[in-house]
Amino acid sequence: MRQPPITLIGAGLVGALLAQQLARRGIAVDVFEKREDPRHGDAGAGRSINLALAERGLEALRRSALTDEVLQAAVMMRGRMVHGLDGHVDLQRYGLDDSEVIWSVSRHALNTMLLDAAEAAGARFHFGQTLVDADFAQRRIRLADGAGMEREADAATVIGADGAGSMLRALMDRRVPLGARVETLGHGYKELEIPTASALPPGLLPAGSAGRFALEPNALHIWPRGHYMCIALPNVDGSFTVTLFLPNRGPAPSFEQLPDAASARAFFAAQFPDLLALIPDFSRDYDRHPVGTLSTLYLQRWHLQASAVLIGDAAHAMAPFYGQGMNCGFEDATILCDLLAAEPADRTGVFAEFQRLRQPDTDAIAALTLENYIEMRDSVVDPHYLVKRELSARLTELAPQHYMTCYRMVSFTDLPYAYAMQRGKAQDAVLEELLRGATSIRDVDVHAAAATLRARLPPLPVRRHG
Ligand SMILES: Cc1cc2nc3c(=O)[nH]c(=O)nc-3n(C[C@H](O)[C@H](O)[C@H](O)COP(=O)(O)OP(=O)(O)OC[C@H]3O[C@@H](n4cnc5c(N)ncnc54)[C@H](O)[C@@H]3O)c2cc1C
């Protein structure tokens, strides 16, 4: 059966991927995007902002036949490179080997590839068109261009991929309350840049800098400092995008107390001296780049019968600490597309099923994300955490059918996020018991520990490899 057309709002990462997947299924799709076409103009020449791509995102890209193209423009990250205040560095691997890695990819490059692929598959894009109103009963939407000129368009079914501040969500909520709850984290972020090694005086390059990269390229770098941290992800051109996460208000250090580069420089010199040395344009970056806000969005209702549904950040924006927002949105797109293809005549049923399937998982990854912030900024240098990591590594070897870290389940499998969270907590409880009174891995009989784990927990579900 031929599907009625779909109107998509937002051609960001999730909207562009969904448009491609729908068009490949032969569904007519019109996409309205507020920005001008990012493939034209100088959008690409600006800041290099990157994201971590993991298995869920890769699986969606495989379905879109885009994996090779995307990975060619990505940098592999094997683990966290933890930078202590004393300059000591320690690589904590994420997975077992190089089949379990995450990838740093440029947001702009990825968006460009997705737009090209969606257009080639037949999706129609309308850039510079902002959704401003919707009449769901009349199946019409209203759009404004950059000059404020408004026009209407038919829209029997609208999918909102218009991000955390979704206008479609606000319009749906006006019709039927969606039960939105936004929890702000109280911490914000600011992006800075480490340029390619050739742009830095040679004397400044640390040990471990490789070729055009000023730091080890195949890692996600973290400078954990308790209540705050910096991270850096590599870019293919040899630069790194650095993100400072800090409380918004309150006593120093907070963005309120460090409003400009002059005040922030002294703070960096004390807390991140090795990093500061690698950011020659620190003052320019700090003063020009805005402080981004971080919050989690929970919605009771994601759809209005067959008229409208939300996806990606529009439905479940989360903080970035697990690097899963886009990965989760890509997984959403594949699931929604499959449901639409399976039930072409029942969009109300499809949208209800989409929420029923996804919401427990998106709630779980939102919760895991908040826990991971504490792990990244604090626990990674905690002695108990480090002993637990060692036991975890031994159990991974000795009881692979019964033990897999939560991070590996989230990042390297397609096991549902809710399962990963629940299983992770059950494993953690056993590990804590096994470690009671232990200060070193030598205090634990690892073979007995593996036997305990096997006795307590059922085997893990068989993992599907990509
Ligand atoms: C600092 C930071 C780091 C992150 N790191 C990672 C990471 O490492 N890995 C990961 O998986 N995720 C990461 N994320 C999350 C990721 O960025 C988001 O989950 C992802 O961008 C969501 O995609 P989206 O398409 O739903 O929304 P968006 O990317 O926000 O796209 C929404 C689109 O809708 C358009 N739009 C908005 N309003 C309208 C309107 N009224 N009319 C028409 N168009 C409109 C916007 O212009 C935009 O193009 C990070 C987020 C942040 C803030």
Side-chain angles (χ1 to χ4, degrees):
M1 173 185 170
R2 186 148 185 85
Q3 296 239 10
I6 282 181
T7 302
L8 236 165
I9 309 297
L13 299 174
V14 176
L17 180 83
L18 179 61
Q20 191 250 15
Q21 294 196 344
L22 292 171
R24 272 163 67 99
R25 301 263 190 165
I27 302 173
V29 52
D30 278 279
V31 190
F32 294 93
E33 164 58 51
K34 164 165 93 172
R35 293 171 300 158
E36 294 304 328
D37 190 336
R39 293 168 295 179
H40 308 140
D42 64 358
R47 288 193 281 152
S48 182
I49 308 289
N50 46 29
L51 303 118
L53 177 65
E55 174 55 26
R56 289 161 209 273
L58 278 170
E59 175 58 18
L61 293 171
R62 258 176 230 124
R63 295 271 300 259
S64 293
L66 287 169
T67 333
D68 291 347
E69 193 184 340
V70 171
L71 289 188
Q72 267 168 27
V75 185
M76 180 204 280
M77 297 185 289
R78 296 192 169 98
R80 296 168 175 158
M81 185 73 86
V82 179
H83 297 250
L85 191 50
D86 58 1
H88 178 77
V89 291
D90 174 30
L91 178 68
Q92 300 180 353
R93 244 196 193 274
Y94 287 132
L96 292 182
D97 52 36
D98 281 358
S99 69
E100 293 187 341
V101 295
I102 56 175
W103 299 86
S104 176
V105 56
S106 143
R107 183 185 285 271
H108 174 76
L110 181 56
N111 205 180
T112 295
M113 288 179 222
L114 293 172
L115 290 172
D116 284 344
E119 225 163 45
R124 287 186 300 263
F125 286 91
H126 310 269
F127 290 99
Q129 298 285 311
T130 304
L131 174 76
V132 291
D133 206 352
D135 184 336
F136 297 107
Q138 296 300 318
R139 305 167 147 220
R140 306 275 289 165
I141 56 169
R142 182 169 278 277
L143 302 144
D145 69 13
M149 287 287 290
E150 294 197 0
R151 66 158 171 136
E152 288 199 353
D154 289 329
T157 300
V158 197
I159 301 181
D162 49 346
S166 172
M167 182 62 178
L168 185 68
R169 187 174 72 231
L171 296 168
M172 289 163 67
D173 189 61
R174 200 175 64 183
R175 170 96 188 229
V176 176
L178 303 181
R181 183 165 57 87
V182 176
E183 278 181 15
T184 49
L185 192 62
H187 288 223
Y189 68 94
K190 192 184 274 279
E191 280 143 350
L192 309 163
E193 191 184 276
I194 299 174
T196 57
S198 58
L200 290 163
L204 279 183
L205 291 177
S209 62
R212 59 189 197 283
F213 293 90
L215 294 168
E216 159 61 45
N218 296 121
L220 188 156
H221 295 263
I222 310 185
W223 289 258
R225 297 294 183 264
H227 283 88
Y228 53 90
M229 66 176 179
C230 280
I231 64 169
L233 272 71
N235 296 306
V236 274
D237 66 1
S239 65
F240 288 80
T241 306
V242 177
T243 312
L244 163 69
F245 293 96
L246 206 59
N248 289 322
R249 286 180 218 301
S254 67
F255 281 115
E256 185 182 43
Q257 298 295 325
L258 302 171
D260 51 31
S263 48
R265 185 177 283 281
F267 162 64
F268 264 71
Q271 295 299 327
F272 307 109
D274 50 340
L275 179 56
L276 179 62
L278 301 177
I279 309 179
D281 289 327
F282 179 84
S283 297
R284 189 200 62 184
D285 286 359
Y286 198 93
D287 284 338
R288 282 202 198 156
H289 300 168
V291 176
T293 53
L294 298 169
S295 40
T296 312
L297 164 74
Y298 303 93
L299 274 189
Q300 279 172 17
R301 194 186 167 118
W302 292 13
H303 70 105
L304 282 187
Q305 288 82 33
S307 314
V309 68
L310 300 168
I311 189 169
D313 276 17
H316 49 70
M318 65 191 79
F321 306 115
Y322 227 111
Q324 282 290 317
M326 166 193 66
N327 286 286
C328 177
F330 280 8
E331 200 173 48
D332 283 356
T334 305
I335 290 172
L336 180 59
C337 200
D338 284 351
L339 291 171
L340 281 164
E343 285 292 346
D346 179 16
R347 286 195 175 159
T348 302
V350 163
F351 295 164
E353 180 64 1
F354 174 61
Q355 176 175 359
R356 192 190 67 75
L357 281 175
R358 282 309 270 167
Q359 196 165 26
D361 289 326
T362 60
D363 283 352
I365 188 60
L368 286 171
T369 290
L370 295 175
E371 288 172 17
N372 213 40
Y373 186 27
I374 297 167
E375 178 165 329
M376 287 172 86
R377 71 184 196 210
D378 205 358
S379 317
V380 285
V381 286
D382 174 71
H384 178 69
Y385 172 89
L386 294 173
V387 178
K388 199 152 119 187
R389 248 191 88 83
E390 279 188 70
L391 177 57
S392 171
R394 295 293 284 130
L395 292 173
T396 300
E397 286 165 30
L398 295 171
Q401 264 100 51
H402 290 75
Y403 186 78
M404 185 183 278
T405 63
C406 184
Y407 188 91
R408 285 178 64 221
M409 287 187 268
V410 166
S411 302
F412 306 131
T413 79
D414 61 359
L415 292 170
Y417 288 123
Y419 173 82
M421 180 164 90
Q422 168 261 318
R423 176 76 186 206
K425 293 209 182 309
Q427 292 176 170
D428 201 57
V430 179
L431 258 71
E432 286 297 348
E433 205 182 300
L434 293 167
L435 282 171
R436 206 166 289 150
T439 52
S440 148
I441 188 71
R442 287 188 297 278
D443 299 335
V444 183
D445 177 342
V446 288
H447 293 279
T452 304
L453 199 73
R454 279 193 289 265
R456 296 273 182 88
L457 297 175
L460 290 152
V462 177
R463 195 192 139 186
R464 186 158 68 76
H465 283 270

